[in-house]
Amino acid sequence: MIDLKYLQNNFDEASARLQKKGVESNTLENLQSLFIQLKEANAAFENARAEQNSMSKLFGQYKQEGKDIAELKAKVDANKEVMAELQEKAREAEEALYTVALAIPNFPDEGVPEGKDEEENVELRKVLEPRSFDFEPKEHWELGEKNGWIDFERGVKLAKSRFSVLRGEAARLERALINFFLDTNRAKGFEELCVPFLNNAAMLQGTGQLPKFGDDLFKIEDEALYLIPTAEVPLTNMYHDEILSEKELPVLMTGYTPCFRKEAGSAGRDTRGMIRQHQFDKVEMVAIAHPDKSDEVFEMMVQNASDILTALGLPHRVVELCGGDLGFSAAKTIDLEVWLPGQNKYREISSISNTRDFQARRAKIRFKDGKQNRFVHTLNGSSLAVGRTLIAIMENYQNADGTIAIPTVLQRYM
RNA sequence: AGACAGGUGGCCGAGCGGUUGAAGGCGCACGCCUGGAACGCGUGUAUAGUUAACGCUAUCGAGGGUUCGAAUCCCUUCCUGUCUGCCA
């Protein structure tokens, strides 16, 4: 959530910053007036409550002293009604405020490029030269079927469309990648965690998926639980409503989880192949950092993910997202896009974001700064999306006869 | 899943309708003591909102109710423990 006090005190600046993300200034004006209304409603209610409290104290005194309480009782009863009304108003004001506030995205960082969609993202650098083929490189679905690696039909049979089955060497390669990623992250200082794949609503609100993006989540029937769309949710919320000591920072965590997404807004996109599935494996990095150090940690995370691609010999490029393409919670995001020769395109394989204190404020993750409690900065990034890495290996390591070589670094994992 | 017992501050633990944000202890911080330490003594030690400030409001797992007044009584719910069932 954005800092409402900051909004109130620096309205024009805040409004200008959120314009990058396409938030209308009248939405913010509305938010600001709801905030002021809540404060007023709370003040009125709290005053009535204070009066009630002091009369109640008197009441006890009178009784002890054996004084007549009839008059006081009448006053207190009258005030009680007023108070109940004021309380209801305050409650309504609060609900109105949070309905709006929880749906406002994070401020983009100052340096984030202007732009309305992915077309205006900025390429920072390319890493590794794409290999040149002396034959027409095939797309991964063709290679997947030819090698018996991906069984699309049976995935659909078992579940529904956008599910698939990996078989034989592909299944082992998937597992090898997970292990390789986790080991690499661990070597960089990330603690490895194995977390629940179902999380409750409070956690999903903490990281920003709820309330606004519930349509993209699989919810468990008759349970207040959701299949996680990314390990960012459980890893970041490890410290939900906790206060860390400054010396614990940064907390670096990594974990493998499957991720489940309804892909509600993606009808018709990437329907062929394994690029966009309802279930996919991912190894995630999450950092909980001191506000002064989060930029440093961010760079380290980008470098780590890029290094993994390099180690696998996969050409990729590093792209900074423009304001319009930034996710809801992110203040700054760098995507890594891997080269897919079959598609003749760079495709997203990792997304690393600094959410600053946006998630921390929602999830109440703080640290002790002297006597004061302050919000931490939270960061997350894939290292990497496993299924897409598998695809990238298939397309980049394919031979003319359709067979696929295994990258050297993975051979000891197979 | 069923039965019973519980959930109080960083931790342990008292309180079971009134001035209790909460005794006592431990821990922690600071000061005194010491050559330095331990011991001892003293002081302090939750979070959030609001206010220029004094202060006010909220929080004893969570939500609701009874009452002038709830940590204390009632209901719902979540969690923990023990036993039974089931299961990897």
Side-chain angles (χ1 to χ4, degrees), chain A residues 6-7 22 34 106 129 175 182 188 207 221 244 249 257 264 299 303 319 347 368 372 383 386 395 402-403 410-411:
Chain A
Y6 166 78
L7 177 73
L34 288 171
N106 195 9
E129 193 64 24
R175 182 157 56 88
L182 286 170
K188 283 274 161 62
T207 30
E221 198 175 349
L244 293 144
L249 302 178
T257 72
E299 291 306 325
Q303 195 57 48
V319 172
R347 295 297 306 254
K368 274 256 181 267
Q372 227 193 346
S383 63
V386 182
E395 294 200 7
T403 56
L410 290 179
Q411 283 170 9

Side-chain angles (χ1 to χ4, degrees), chain A residues 162-177:
Chain A
R162 289 199 192 275
F163 284 89
S164 56
V165 177
L166 294 178
R167 308 189 71 149
E169 199 173 14
R172 292 201 298 124
L173 186 53
E174 179 92 355
R175 182 157 56 88
L177 284 168

Side-chain angles (χ1 to χ4, degrees), chain A residues 26-186:
Chain A
N26 56 15
T27 307
L28 290 180
E29 274 164 31
N30 181 30
L31 180 64
Q32 189 186 30
S33 86
L34 288 171
F35 183 49
I36 293 166
Q37 279 167 38
L38 174 63
K39 281 215 265 200
E40 286 170 357
N42 270 341
F45 167 57
E46 280 174 15
N47 282 338
R49 186 68 156 261
E51 200 178 324
Q52 190 77 353
N53 285 346
S54 72
M55 284 194 288
S56 286
K57 271 187 189 170
L58 259 189
F59 200 100
Q61 251 177 49
Y62 279 24
K63 266 196 129 170
Q64 222 166 23
E65 295 164 9
K67 285 192 190 165
D68 180 40
I69 53 167
E71 196 186 329
L72 185 60
K73 170 107 166 86
K75 267 171 80 177
V76 124
D77 281 344
N79 188 55
K80 201 181 179 185
E81 273 179 46
V82 175
M83 200 175 71
E85 246 173 74
L86 291 172
Q87 179 168 32
E88 179 58 20
K89 275 191 192 153
R91 202 197 55 76
E92 281 168 15
E94 186 172 356
E95 196 184 308
L97 174 69
Y98 281 100
T99 302
V100 176
L102 287 173
I104 304 282
N106 195 9
F107 294 108
D109 278 1
E110 217 152 289
V112 167
E114 297 277 354
K116 59 179 185 308
D117 57 31
E118 59 183 10
E119 297 300 313
E120 296 176 78
N121 291 344
V122 176
E123 180 182 303
L124 300 179
R125 58 184 177 272
K126 283 200 169 90
V127 182
L128 298 184
E129 193 64 24
R131 136 190 188 205
S132 64
F133 290 84
D134 49 14
F135 58 93
E136 184 69 19
K138 297 179 181 63
E139 302 219 38
H140 75 273
W141 54 77
E142 205 182 330
L143 294 163
E145 278 171 0
K146 198 176 171 95
N147 289 290
W149 276 25
I150 312 177
D151 191 335
F152 291 105
E153 287 81 9
R154 291 199 175 83
V156 175
K157 178 170 80 178
L158 290 171
K160 63 171 194 169
S161 64
R162 289 199 192 275
F163 284 89
S164 56
V165 177
L166 294 178
R167 308 189 71 149
E169 199 173 14
R172 292 201 298 124
L173 186 53
E174 179 92 355
R175 182 157 56 88
L177 284 168
I178 293 168
N179 286 334
F180 172 57
F181 295 163
L182 286 170
D183 284 350
T184 309
N185 292 344
R186 208 153 45 83

Side-chain angles (χ1 to χ4, degrees), chain A residues 82-368:
Chain A
V82 175
M83 200 175 71
E85 246 173 74
L86 291 172
Q87 179 168 32
E88 179 58 20
K89 275 191 192 153
R91 202 197 55 76
E92 281 168 15
E94 186 172 356
E95 196 184 308
L97 174 69
Y98 281 100
T99 302
V100 176
L102 287 173
I104 304 282
N106 195 9
F107 294 108
D109 278 1
E110 217 152 289
V112 167
E114 297 277 354
K116 59 179 185 308
D117 57 31
E118 59 183 10
E119 297 300 313
E120 296 176 78
N121 291 344
V122 176
E123 180 182 303
L124 300 179
R125 58 184 177 272
K126 283 200 169 90
V127 182
L128 298 184
E129 193 64 24
R131 136 190 188 205
S132 64
F133 290 84
D134 49 14
F135 58 93
E136 184 69 19
K138 297 179 181 63
E139 302 219 38
H140 75 273
W141 54 77
E142 205 182 330
L143 294 163
E145 278 171 0
K146 198 176 171 95
N147 289 290
W149 276 25
I150 312 177
D151 191 335
F152 291 105
E153 287 81 9
R154 291 199 175 83
V156 175
K157 178 170 80 178
L158 290 171
K160 63 171 194 169
S161 64
R162 289 199 192 275
F163 284 89
S164 56
V165 177
L166 294 178
R167 308 189 71 149
E169 199 173 14
R172 292 201 298 124
L173 186 53
E174 179 92 355
R175 182 157 56 88
L177 284 168
I178 293 168
N179 286 334
F180 172 57
F181 295 163
L182 286 170
D183 284 350
T184 309
N185 292 344
R186 208 153 45 83
K188 283 274 161 62
F190 289 84
E191 182 195 0
E192 182 175 338
L193 284 79
C194 195
V195 293
F197 303 160
L198 299 176
N199 279 195
N200 62 43
M203 302 305 118
L204 285 144
Q205 180 169 310
T207 30
Q209 286 76 15
L210 286 178
K212 206 179 172 193
F213 305 102
D215 287 349
D216 206 37
L217 298 171
F218 287 101
K219 183 168 190 303
I220 304 297
E221 198 175 349
D222 299 326
E223 293 274 359
L225 293 171
Y226 299 79
L227 284 163
I228 54 170
T230 158
E232 170 196 339
V233 177
L235 291 179
T236 306
N237 282 295
M238 279 291 291
Y239 295 97
H240 188 105
D241 202 11
E242 292 193 23
I243 300 168
L244 293 144
S245 72
E246 190 172 347
K247 63 174 189 288
E248 288 175 87
L249 302 178
V251 178
L252 303 176
M253 293 171 281
T254 187
Y256 151 73
T257 72
C259 304
F260 302 91
R261 298 183 184 176
K262 282 197 174 174
E263 296 294 347
S266 311
R269 289 175 66 195
D270 301 312
T271 48
R272 188 96 196 257
M274 222 179 57
I275 286 271
R276 193 174 299 276
Q277 300 268 287
H278 287 308
Q279 175 187 328
F280 61 93
D281 290 325
K282 183 157 60 64
V283 172
E284 185 78 0
M285 307 173 272
V286 162
I288 296 186
H290 190 287
D292 299 342
K293 295 281 168 59
S294 73
D295 289 317
E296 220 172 276
V297 174
F298 181 77
E299 291 306 325
M300 180 275 281
M301 288 166 71
V302 171
Q303 195 57 48
N304 182 44
S306 174
D307 286 349
I308 293 176
L309 283 170
T310 305
L312 288 167
L314 293 172
H316 57 284
R317 59 177 195 161
V318 181
V319 172
E320 173 157 20
L321 299 201
C322 70
D325 201 29
L326 273 184
F328 181 74
S329 298
K332 177 188 175 81
T333 296
I334 282 183
D335 275 6
L336 302 184
E337 298 181 348
V338 70
W339 176 249
L340 294 184
Q343 293 199 2
N344 198 36
K345 262 188 212 158
Y346 283 100
R347 295 297 306 254
E348 177 185 339
I349 195 165
S350 171
S351 189
I352 298 130
S353 298
N354 188 348
T355 79
R356 308 266 169 213
D357 62 1
F358 185 81
Q359 292 179 326
R361 183 170 279 109
R362 286 177 161 243
K364 302 196 202 80
I365 309 171
R366 290 151 296 169
F367 73 100
K368 274 256 181 267

